[in-house]
Amino acid sequence: MKPAIKRGLTTVLCTILVGLSLTSTGIGSETSPHSAVEMITVDGHTVPDIGPLPTVVPQPPGNLNYAAKLSLGKQLYFDGRLSKNNAISCAFCHNPVAGFADPNQTSVGVGGLRGGRQSPTVYNTAFNPFQFWDGRAGSLEEQAIGPIHNPVEMAETHEAVVPKIAKISGYKEEFQKVFGTGVSLQGIAEAIAAYERTIISTNSAFDKFVLGDQQAMGEDAQRGMALFKGKGRCILCHNDSNFTDNRFHNLGVPQVGPMKEDLGRYYVTRRERDKGAFKTPTLRSITESAPYMHDGAFKTLEEVIDFFDKGGNANPQLSPLMKPLGLAPQEKADLIAFLKALTGEPIPFEFPKLPE
């Protein structure tokens, strides 16, 4: 790993938010305490209550956003020339018209190779201290360049992609303007990450409701929110302002797709308790990013709720938070109504013109 990229792992969590506490976003270590937020206790477990996102998006001090960098990052995000066959871009698997995710169960890379995991949404990744389903990346900068050298994804090498992009005169000029240097792997990482930090799902019906607009959510969604925070136990993992505890849990999700076995977080920590554990995803704009779970096992939210209602699938590392819920059909419908109320306002979007 390049030293500058490695520095991003330690600086990404250091942003000072004016008038806000980062602890309110749940950003920190896997075991960091929450403070400065209201807490809620469900079945003996105390977690941060859900609420609106902070009004300021965290930025690492070493990679602040500004217009020229965002423009460059957006171009790189949509440029297939980062891949070996010049066809697979970041947007290929994190598509803005599919909730910045992939509508396929698992994504297809260079040469038609299919990965074993569902591409997670880019929505609100700026608030995540860990990236990828297994949390192997500690910053968006590190995440941004990971797929480039993954043989099942973009199948390029970090050593080859820099001179390749540097041969494009438009990029050469832009890197000089943005960074004052030639094309570099660090610059590619910082520009893409800066753009990804602008992809925020917020101002949903839920946000408007909790900020005082009592007409923003219907009665069914309001009942669903009560279930979410009570009988449904959803808040035990999907909590705080981004609807995620940023931790890793084994839910007993059925293994489907090309991988016969996926041990998730275990590959990173090598801890027995982490076998089959995957990162809790945000639920913001969840209706836009089907299918669901790390392997895309479920096509609909109805299937997801049925799975949780049964308490998951038993296995030695199953999270103790998983238990049968006994939800009635109307309760399931109310939960769906609440999840729909988490859809953020549309993000204005235009495909960028790529440099030549």
Side-chain angles (χ1 to χ4, degrees):
M1 186 186 303
K2 299 289 185 180
I5 295 175
K6 191 172 183 179
R7 286 199 301 271
L9 304 182
T10 58
T11 61
V12 69
L13 303 178
C14 298
T15 304
I16 299 175
L17 300 181
V18 178
L20 295 168
S21 169
L22 267 181
T23 54
S24 69
T25 67
I27 295 178
S29 68
E30 292 181 59
T31 57
S32 64
H34 295 268
S35 60
V37 292
E38 293 187 14
M39 308 297 285
I40 183 171
T41 300
V42 178
D43 290 346
H45 301 277
T46 301
V47 297
D49 201 354
I50 51 178
L53 281 174
T55 56
V56 178
V57 177
Q59 298 177 36
N63 189 24
L64 299 180
N65 286 7
Y66 48 90
K69 185 189 291 182
L70 297 178
S71 176
L72 173 59
K74 185 175 182 180
Q75 290 171 326
L76 290 166
Y77 183 91
F78 286 92
D79 201 331
R81 289 173 291 187
L82 290 178
S83 67
K84 186 175 182 179
N85 68 352
N86 299 320
I88 306 297
S89 67
C90 304
F92 190 83
C93 298
H94 302 279
N95 194 324
V97 300
F100 284 91
D102 192 335
N104 297 302
Q105 182 182 53
T106 59
S107 297
V108 176
V110 170
L113 295 177
R114 183 172 291 278
R117 295 178 183 172
Q118 213 278 327
S119 294
T121 181
V122 180
Y123 278 137
N124 297 4
T125 50
F127 293 95
N128 295 344
F130 305 101
Q131 308 296 334
F132 297 114
W133 281 105
D134 54 18
R136 64 185 182 274
S139 73
L140 272 177
E141 285 74 13
E142 186 182 2
Q143 178 278 325
I145 59 173
I148 293 175
H149 67 176
N150 187 311
V152 183
E153 296 182 56
M154 300 169 90
E156 187 55 276
T157 66
H158 289 164
E159 293 74 19
V161 76
V162 172
K164 180 180 180 181
I165 297 301
K167 290 179 181 179
I168 302 170
S169 60
Y171 274 131
K172 185 176 180 179
E173 294 173 5
E174 291 197 42
F175 270 80
Q176 188 63 43
K177 179 174 66 175
V178 172
F179 297 108
T181 67
V183 176
S184 68
L185 186 63
Q186 179 65 20
I188 292 173
E190 290 185 3
I192 294 175
Y195 169 65
E196 289 180 328
R197 289 191 178 97
T198 69
I199 302 171
I200 302 297
S201 169
T202 190
N203 201 29
S204 64
F206 161 78
D207 294 310
K208 295 173 183 176
F209 180 82
V210 296
L211 289 174
D213 182 357
Q214 297 301 301
Q215 305 303 314
M217 289 202 314
E219 292 184 1
D220 53 351
Q222 294 181 44
R223 292 193 302 268
M225 182 169 69
L227 287 163
F228 187 96
K229 299 166 67 169
K231 180 179 178 180
R233 298 165 56 88
C234 314
I235 198 171
L236 295 182
C237 295
H238 296 282
N239 53 56
D240 216 330
S241 60
N242 199 27
F243 286 77
T244 171
D245 60 2
N246 288 306
R247 297 181 181 178
F248 305 86
H249 304 277
N250 181 318
L251 308 178
V253 175
Q255 183 61 43
V256 298
M259 295 180 70
K260 294 181 179 180
E261 181 181 54
D262 191 345
L263 299 181
R265 183 66 172 164
Y266 173 80
Y267 296 132
V268 179
T269 67
R270 296 298 170 178
R271 296 182 300 204
E272 189 72 15
R273 70 187 188 205
D274 287 334
K275 284 186 174 179
F278 295 88
K279 184 165 64 71
T280 305
T282 179
L283 294 183
R284 287 186 172 273
S285 292
I286 190 66
T287 58
E288 299 179 14
S289 57
Y292 304 106
M293 303 303 188
H294 72 277
D295 55 354
F298 304 127
K299 296 180 180 179
T300 67
L301 288 174
E302 286 79 4
E303 291 179 9
V304 174
I305 289 178
D306 285 342
F307 172 76
F308 279 104
D309 186 42
K310 294 185 296 185
N313 293 325
N315 69 85
Q317 280 76 37
L318 184 69
S319 169
L321 298 178
M322 295 292 288
K323 61 181 293 186
L325 302 175
L327 296 174
Q330 184 60 55
E331 290 176 319
K332 293 180 181 181
D334 289 343
L335 276 173
I336 294 293
F338 176 62
L339 293 175
K340 290 180 178 179
L342 302 182
T343 303
E345 63 184 1
I347 298 176
F349 178 79
E350 291 183 3
F351 286 95
K353 181 180 180 181
L354 302 182
E356 297 179 356

